[in-house]
Amino acid sequence: MKNAPYGWLPGKEYYRPVRTLFDCAIFKINLKAICWQCRHIAVIDAPGHWWRCERLGIDDSIRAFHARLYCSSCFKCQKIKVSEPTLQQTCEKVTGVLLPGPDEYTWKRIINRQRG
């Protein structure tokens, strides 16, 4: 059997794929980053990072976000940026910094804009 395409939720193959940080914000999904060198694990606040990308005008696709990631543990210890850790979708609690999201009025306005 073929694997599901990148971004599909396991067990929900018929739903819309999660391809952007905005999709993660809608479905309340966080991202788990695992460093391929030191095996450091960090659960990233995807909805907070989406709002940061939205305000700064940066591409919020998961592939572009993945390309910008690097392991903070390797950077602290060895002073090298080990980039592109393994990403997994998760509903676990965030282990790092919680970034602020939009206020309720702005969030509802953005959701309504997406529906129309």
Side-chain angles (χ1 to χ4, degrees):
M1 183 174 159
K2 285 177 67 175
N3 289 338
Y6 181 82
W8 283 89
L9 294 171
K12 298 183 178 180
E13 285 78 19
Y14 299 107
Y15 293 131
R16 183 176 172 215
V18 176
R19 292 192 176 133
T20 64
L21 294 174
F22 180 70
D23 293 338
C24 291
I26 289 174
F27 296 123
K28 297 179 175 79
I29 296 172
N30 291 322
L31 298 173
K32 182 189 288 189
I34 304 170
C35 178
W36 55 268
Q37 184 170 357
C38 72
R39 291 302 194 203
H40 177 253
I41 297 173
V43 179
I44 300 168
D45 175 32
H49 281 281
W50 160 75
W51 181 239
R52 184 173 182 270
C53 290
E54 181 76 17
R55 288 182 300 152
L56 295 176
I58 302 172
D59 183 15
D60 76 330
S61 71
I62 291 180
R63 290 187 191 260
F65 180 69
H66 183 232
R68 291 191 301 265
L69 287 179
Y70 65 90
C71 179
S72 61
S73 179
C74 288
F75 187 71
K76 285 178 188 174
C77 296
Q78 303 169 4
K79 302 294 186 227
I80 57 171
K81 287 188 177 181
V82 178
S83 61
E84 296 190 7
T86 305
L87 276 183
Q88 299 173 356
Q89 298 170 10
T90 184
C91 292
E92 297 176 20
K93 288 189 175 186
V94 176
T95 59
V97 178
L98 272 173
L99 295 176
D103 60 355
E104 188 175 346
Y105 175 76
T106 306
W107 175 249
K108 287 183 179 180
R109 199 174 78 231
I110 291 168
I111 292 295
N112 286 334
R113 183 176 62 200
Q114 292 295 319
R115 288 184 189 160

